[in-house]
Amino acid sequence: MEVTISADMLIELAALLTALGVIGGVALWCHRFVLRNKKQDEELAAIRKEQTLICYGVLACLKGMKEQGCNGPVTAALDKLEKHLNQAAHDVEDAG
């Protein structure tokens, strides 16, 4: 049995290997994209949690200052922060 390899056969083999390489590259890119997106989602969730804690800390400080008699900008900031937190809580409920 004699095997002959022609130029057309080599060209078809090269085209097949190129096509498989491109398909594999696209699949790998999609996989990495999904992993990167999951990692960013986790980081954003951690940042949101930290920002929530900071907001509650600032709220507590403003309430304490108001109880001690501070007025003016403290009252305005307290009202704005409470309004923002209330709206943010309703936005979370609507999204969930």
Side-chain angles (χ1 to χ4, degrees):
M1 179 167 179
E2 197 174 305
V3 176
T4 57
I5 299 175
S6 67
D8 289 338
M9 186 177 198
L10 286 175
I11 292 171
E12 287 178 13
L13 183 61
L16 177 65
L17 289 175
T18 302
L20 290 175
V22 168
I23 291 170
V26 169
L28 182 62
W29 178 84
C30 289
H31 177 68
R32 286 184 178 172
F33 180 80
V34 169
L35 290 179
R36 189 175 342 126
N37 198 16
K38 282 184 180 180
K39 184 178 177 185
Q40 287 176 348
D41 288 346
E42 291 169 359
E43 289 173 356
L44 285 174
I47 289 170
R48 284 188 189 110
K49 184 176 180 180
E50 182 180 356
Q51 285 179 337
T52 300
L53 291 174
I54 291 170
C55 282
Y56 286 129
V58 170
L59 183 65
C61 291
L62 289 171
K63 283 184 177 183
M65 291 174 70
K66 187 167 182 174
E67 287 175 3
Q68 292 181 358
C70 296
N71 207 353
V74 171
T75 303
L78 183 59
D79 291 341
K80 285 183 182 181
L81 185 57
E82 286 178 334
K83 182 178 178 182
H84 168 74
L85 290 174
N86 192 14
Q87 287 177 343
H90 288 295
D91 288 344
V92 170
E93 288 175 4
D94 292 340

